[in-house]
Amino acid sequence: FGAFEHTTQKTHGGTWKDCSYGKMTLNFDVDQKENDLAQDVPGETADIIYADVPMVCDPNVDPYCPGAYDSINSCSSSEYYGWPRYAFNQLKDTQPGLSKQDWMHWVVIFPSDIVSCNFVGMGNVGCSSSYCYSWIPHSYSTKIQDYTHELGHNLGMAHAGLFGGNEYADWSCAMGYCCTVRCYNAPHAYELGWLTPSLMLNGNTFTQTLTDVPLRSMSLHDDGAIAITMDWVEPLP
């Protein structure tokens, strides 16, 4: 969350704070300890934990292996869940005081140039005590938009796209295409409880033509949207 994008001078934590109108804040330093690679990000104690994780794992040879995986030739859940699980098994010995439960969100940065996984990012949709991961390749590790998108999945959000079209095609939303820094669109901000529509309409109150409805900018105000419940439309099958 302390990942820093030098071009925009932004952090992911700062982006969430701005996009939520101050309702969402992140603690950059949970364990109050100096961490590996901390010199690479603002705030020298930002929580970054380094672990040497093999790209090919055989539990018959390496006791830290959570199961067999081969990241060079495969990209399945065995691989991308295997990496953090291996790291946690290793950290039990190297950092015995560390507990996975002290942190809700875990971002796995992986070397995309040597593994089979070639996605720009991936994240669990919704979180539990066992599953609250995002995976980001090292080539995108300073792209704040990638964090905002993948951890947006952790908050429960789906992609932002066009009905009947591309699921990423809403360029106004962080849940659309990567990688320009931007906030979430009105439906997602409303879903998160960050935005309260200035006007709520349904079939009884909605007229065919609305005129002179003031709508403030979502960039500055948390009421910059109108919500219309289309209760006159038949539900989709």
Side-chain angles (χ1 to χ4, degrees):
F1 307 129
F4 186 63
E5 186 168 295
H6 293 274
T7 303
T8 62
Q9 300 291 297
K10 288 184 177 293
T11 64
H12 170 64
T15 301
W16 262 2
K17 184 177 180 180
D18 290 345
C19 293
S20 69
Y21 313 99
K23 298 180 177 72
M24 170 76 83
T25 57
L26 291 171
N27 187 350
F28 282 71
D29 184 18
V30 174
D31 62 5
Q32 299 294 305
K33 296 178 182 178
E34 186 173 349
N35 292 287
D36 294 321
L37 311 180
Q39 69 274 11
D40 294 341
V41 297
E44 293 185 357
T45 55
D47 291 337
I48 298 177
I49 297 168
Y50 177 82
D52 285 315
V53 176
M55 295 297 95
V56 179
C57 217
D58 182 349
N60 296 315
V61 177
D62 188 338
Y64 293 141
C65 290
Y69 64 76
D70 181 357
S71 306
I72 306 300
N73 298 298
S74 177
C75 181
S76 69
S77 58
S78 296
E79 281 71 44
Y80 50 78
Y81 279 111
W83 305 331
R85 288 169 179 166
Y86 183 100
F88 290 129
N89 288 340
Q90 182 187 79
L91 291 168
K92 288 177 184 177
D93 287 341
T94 60
Q95 297 189 39
L98 185 145
S99 172
K100 177 179 181 293
Q101 305 307 317
D102 289 341
W103 292 265
M104 170 62 79
H105 299 275
W106 285 90
V107 179
V108 180
I109 307 297
F110 65 93
S112 56
D113 55 338
I114 60 173
V115 301
S116 181
C117 293
N118 60 3
F119 47 75
V120 174
M122 184 170 64
N124 292 135
V125 180
C127 279
S128 69
S129 58
S130 300
Y131 296 97
C132 198
Y133 291 110
S134 292
W135 294 264
I136 293 176
H138 78 285
S139 54
Y140 284 82
S141 62
T142 60
K143 299 292 186 182
I144 298 305
Q145 178 61 28
D146 216 358
Y147 294 81
T148 309
H149 181 108
E150 302 308 338
L151 276 89
H153 285 313
N154 289 172
L155 297 180
M157 288 184 286
H159 290 142
L162 298 176
F163 180 72
N166 190 295
E167 64 178 311
Y168 296 95
D170 184 352
W171 289 86
S172 72
C173 182
M175 299 310 293
Y177 283 111
C178 189
C179 284
T180 304
V181 178
R182 56 199 187 277
C183 293
Y184 304 117
N185 61 16
H188 278 318
Y190 177 64
E191 178 184 3
L192 292 169
W194 295 355
L195 180 145
T196 302
S198 59
L199 187 62
M200 305 280 288
L201 301 172
N202 57 29
N204 294 323
T205 57
F206 181 73
T207 59
Q208 290 186 348
T209 303
L210 288 174
T211 58
D212 298 327
V213 176
L215 189 61
R216 303 202 294 178
S217 169
M218 274 187 62
S219 299
L220 301 173
H221 306 283
D222 64 358
D223 62 353
I226 296 172
I228 303 173
T229 301
M230 296 187 298
D231 49 8
W232 63 88
V233 177
E234 290 292 329
L236 292 173

